């Protein structure tokens, strides 16, 4: 038996240099349409991972609230108007939300990478959500910085917090795919997105509408909105920064037989 492997590196989509100069084309309608098709195509394979992310967020949020309050139900009763909303309850809610966002960052990174895989033509499995664990420290640090900046922005002007959320939205994927340091990835994301802010804002408005609709349906539409959001990010990242793909072709043959086999392995 002899084996031969041939490897080639491919690049799909834009480039980091063009993204920073704004030298790339981005159509909001095309991104939304492609993301819709990807969500439909990968829905049943992708949904378990997004549900795992939601479940992890809920668990972390309740644990954080339980540490700060006698009962997490106090905050929800205040939100429903059953009891007065105090400064302590409001602060506890903000801290719990911040803690949840930061601690769930590695899982968020894993789901983001799955969305990127869909955008470049690969299938994913629910277990791929743990791929973000390899970047746990970096993405957690980045999410901590981003959440802190968004929180400050929201206290100054709510629209500023929304703008910062959009501007830093490619940070996690830049850390995982381009191997950038957290602050470097934040700067690159900010510079690239502000070059095409209008079409990107239109895309995120569509996502926001879907999430509002999800609340109106009691959360049912969230089953589609979450996978759609991550597929949108995957398509946007591909078009803006491009993705490096290593293609390995393995050829196997038997010296004693004329029968052989060809096997292709793709590594994103």
């Amino acid at each position: 038996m002899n084996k031969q492997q041939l490897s080639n590196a491919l690049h799909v989509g834009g480039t980091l240099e063009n993204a920073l100069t704004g030298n790339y084309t981005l159509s909001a309608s095309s991104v939304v349409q492609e993301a819709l098709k990807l969500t439909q195509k990968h829905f049943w394979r992708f949904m378990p991972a997004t549900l795992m992310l939601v479940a992890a967020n809920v668990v972390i949020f309740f644990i954080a609230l339980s540490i700060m309050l006698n009962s997490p139900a106090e905050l929800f009763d205040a939100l429903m108007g059953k009891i007065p909303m105090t400064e302590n309850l409001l602060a506890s809610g903000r801290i719990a939300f911040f803690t949840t966002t930061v601690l769930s960052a590695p899982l968020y990174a894993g789901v983001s990478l799955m969305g990127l895989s869909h955008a470049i033509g690969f299938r994913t499995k629910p277990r791929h959500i743990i791929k973000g664990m390899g970047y746990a420290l970096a993405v957690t640090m980045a999410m901590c910085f981003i959440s802190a900046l968004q929180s400050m922005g929201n206290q100054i002007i709510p629209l500023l917090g929304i703008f910062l959320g959009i501007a830093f939205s490619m940070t996690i994927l830049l850390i995982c795919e381009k191997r950038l340091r957290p602050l470097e990835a934040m700067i690159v994301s900010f510079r690239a997105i502000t070059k095409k802010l209008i079409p990107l804002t239109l895309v995120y408005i569509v996502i926001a509408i879907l999430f509002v609709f999800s609340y109106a349906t009691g959360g049912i539409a969230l089953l589609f909105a979450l996978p759609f959001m991550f597929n949108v990010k995957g398509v946007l990242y591909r078009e803006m920064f491009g993705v490096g793909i290593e293609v390995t072709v393995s050829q196997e043959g038997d010296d004693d037989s004329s029968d052989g086999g060809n096997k292709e392995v793709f590594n994103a």
Side-chain angles (χ1 to χ4, degrees):
M1 179 75 72
N2 56 57
K3 296 182 180 180
Q4 183 181 16
Q5 287 192 336
L6 302 174
S7 296
N8 290 298
L10 300 177
H11 187 85
V12 180
T15 65
L16 187 61
E17 293 76 15
N18 287 341
L20 290 173
T21 59
N23 187 25
Y24 63 93
T25 302
L26 194 65
S27 167
S29 60
S30 297
V31 170
V32 170
Q33 289 174 15
E34 183 177 355
L36 284 171
K37 291 178 181 178
L38 289 173
T39 304
Q40 292 170 351
K41 180 180 179 180
H42 300 282
F43 181 75
W44 294 110
R45 286 175 174 266
F46 198 23
M47 184 178 65
T50 56
L51 290 179
M52 281 189 276
L53 178 62
V54 172
N57 275 266
V58 171
V59 170
I60 295 171
F61 185 77
F62 271 90
I63 291 175
L65 276 183
S66 298
I67 293 172
M68 292 179 289
L69 300 174
N70 293 325
S71 170
E74 292 181 38
L75 177 62
F76 296 99
D77 287 341
L79 290 172
M80 296 296 292
K82 295 180 180 179
I83 61 174
M85 176 65 78
T86 64
E87 286 293 328
N88 180 54
L89 287 175
L90 195 58
S92 297
R94 287 174 177 170
I95 294 172
F97 181 78
F98 178 84
T99 302
T100 302
T101 303
V102 172
L103 294 184
S104 65
L107 294 179
Y108 181 91
V111 179
S112 297
L113 286 170
M114 292 173 72
L116 181 58
S117 293
H118 298 157
I120 58 177
F122 293 101
R123 292 181 180 275
T124 59
K125 296 179 180 179
R127 60 183 172 82
H128 291 163
I129 191 175
I130 65 174
K131 285 189 173 183
M133 293 299 178
Y135 313 93
L137 180 59
V139 297
T140 300
M141 289 176 59
M143 198 65 83
C144 184
F145 295 147
I146 293 170
S147 297
L149 288 173
Q150 274 192 277
S151 179
M152 289 188 290
N154 284 327
Q155 292 182 27
I156 299 172
I157 304 174
L159 283 178
L160 178 58
I162 295 173
F163 165 73
L164 291 175
I166 295 174
F168 294 130
S169 61
M170 294 293 114
T171 300
I172 300 301
L173 282 174
L174 283 167
I175 291 172
C176 299
E177 199 275 327
K178 293 287 189 278
R179 308 295 197 271
L180 300 183
R181 293 185 295 273
L183 289 178
E184 185 181 10
M186 289 173 63
I187 293 170
V188 169
S189 177
F190 186 92
R191 288 179 58 188
I193 285 180
T194 51
K195 299 292 183 181
K196 300 285 183 181
L197 190 57
I198 293 178
L200 281 163
T201 300
L202 292 175
V203 171
Y204 281 101
I205 286 174
V206 172
I207 294 174
I209 291 172
L210 268 178
F211 274 87
V212 171
F213 181 68
S214 297
Y215 287 114
T217 59
I220 295 175
L222 198 64
L223 295 175
F224 185 87
L226 272 174
F228 173 74
M229 180 186 74
F230 286 105
N231 284 326
V232 163
K233 289 191 174 186
V235 174
L236 288 174
Y237 184 90
R238 183 198 67 203
E239 292 301 303
M240 294 172 65
F241 304 101
V243 185
I245 306 173
E246 181 183 342
V247 182
T248 302
V249 181
S250 299
Q251 295 180 327
E252 298 183 2
D254 194 327
D255 293 336
D256 299 324
S257 172
S258 59
D259 293 332
N262 293 328
K263 180 182 179 182
E264 292 185 312
V265 182
F266 297 89
N267 297 312

